[in-house]
């Protein structure tokens, strides 16, 4: 638990005013889930991932997505070696512990599909051979929501593989001033030191899996997920994979709060980040300005919270 606090403080020293977003990032890290960061340019999306990679060590690779990026540029390729008289696998940038796919929606749909196996099964298949990825493996992707020229919409199957979708937003006035002063001597992220190891993260992830989940909490979570499928304004609700992601995130959230069990608030607090990007609304709802977060707020408000009565 002490390691979690050290990592969090290390991130907060270089990414100012984003305590909640850093907490969500830590939750995804401990739960072993991938994260989609969507926001306007210049809000610190890339810097946040780089700060996390520096804090925990391990292998870090960055992929700058663009329309001419090929699937093999991500997964790797087999090259014939004359001396060995055999094809040798040359790993792509995805073979690392922390991978940042910058501006993922600029890659073509064919290239994006190369990430499906990587995200779900944590392995790559090239020329009939399967290559396992390092443990842990986490994919962080960024995208710009206001640029449409030269971009490709992420398919629902890929969005569903992201445990969370986060937005950073603009800093407040005082924080932005502090940021200016902090950057006078260079990029703070480049000056960060490593405060944990990959082995530490693997150990913490194993502890998170042992967090207790009561049947009543599981029922509460399932009711929320299933309600998204029957809501009148929703065309496509959350999948069973979404329920698993919400459960894993709730256990990690409880662990960060130094509890060995999940409570309803763990689930409620993470519903927007875990389920929001998975809902596809009806056309009428979109025209009326209803957002997925509005739907989730309505569902959570109507779902009965399990309460334990003490005598």
């Amino acid at each position: 638990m002490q390691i979690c606090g050290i990592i969090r403080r290390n991130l907060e020293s270089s990414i100012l005013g984003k305590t909640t977003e850093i907490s969500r990032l830590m939750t995804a890290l401990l739960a072993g889930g991938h994260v989609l960061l969507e926001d306007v340019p210049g809000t610190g999306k890339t810097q946040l991932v780089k700060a996390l990679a520096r804090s925990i060590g391990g292998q870090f690779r960055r992929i700058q997505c663009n329309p001419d990026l090929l699937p093999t540029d991500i997964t790797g390729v087999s090259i014939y070696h004359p001396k060995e008289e055999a094809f040798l696998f040359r790993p792509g940038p995805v073979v690392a512990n922390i991978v940042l796919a910058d501006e993922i929606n600029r890659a073509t749909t064919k290239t994006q599909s190369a990430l499906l196996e990587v995200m779900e099964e944590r392995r790559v298949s090239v020329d009939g051979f399967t290559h396992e990825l390092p443990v842990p493996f986490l994919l962080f992707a960024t995208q710009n929501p206001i640029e449409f020229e030269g971009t490709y919409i992420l398919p629902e199957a890929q969005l569903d593989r992201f445990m969370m979708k986060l937005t950073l937003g603009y800093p407040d006035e005082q924080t932005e001033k502090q940021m200016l002063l902090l950057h006078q001597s260079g990029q703070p992220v480049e000056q960060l030191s490593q405060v944990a190891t990959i082995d530490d993260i693997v150990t913490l992830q194993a502890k998170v899996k042992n967090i207790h989940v009561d049947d009543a909490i599981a029922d509460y979570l399932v009711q929320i997920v299933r309600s998204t499928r029957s809501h009148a304004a929703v065309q496509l609700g959350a999948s069973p994979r979404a329920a698993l992601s919400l459960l894993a995130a709730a256990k990690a959230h409880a662990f960060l709060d130094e509890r060995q069990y999940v409570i309803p608030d763990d689930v409620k607090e993470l519903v927007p980040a875990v389920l929001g990007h998975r809902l596809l609304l009806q056309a009428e709802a979109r025209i009326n300005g209803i957002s997925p977060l509005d739907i989730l707020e309505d569902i959570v408000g109507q779902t009965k919270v399990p309460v334990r009565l003490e005598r």
Side-chain angles (χ1 to χ4, degrees), residues 164-178:
M164 291 187 190
K165 177 182 175 182
L166 303 178
T167 57
L168 299 183
Y170 291 119
D172 57 47
E173 184 177 351
Q174 186 60 34
T175 301
E176 194 160 8
K177 179 181 177 180
Q178 292 177 359

Side-chain angles (χ1 to χ4, degrees), residues 240-295:
R241 184 193 286 123
L244 292 172
S245 293
L246 183 55
L247 178 63
K251 292 169 72 172
H253 190 271
F255 183 81
L256 286 170
D257 276 357
E258 301 186 13
R259 278 182 281 104
Q260 293 300 312
Y261 53 91
V262 175
I263 61 175
D265 285 348
D266 294 323
V267 177
K268 290 169 61 177
E269 194 167 329
L270 292 168
V271 162
V274 176
L275 301 185
H277 62 288
R278 291 176 155 98
L279 303 188
L280 181 62
L281 303 189
Q282 300 282 5
E284 183 179 355
R286 295 196 299 271
I287 292 173
N288 292 331
I290 299 175
S291 71
L293 298 185
D294 295 329
I295 302 296

Side-chain angles (χ1 to χ4, degrees), residues 17 50 56 65 77 80 96 117 137 139 159 202 209 264 281 289 293:
K50 290 173 68 175
I56 66 175
C65 297
V77 64
Y80 183 74
E117 181 185 21
F137 168 76
L139 176 72
L159 284 172
V202 172
K209 291 179 180 179
L281 303 189
L293 298 185

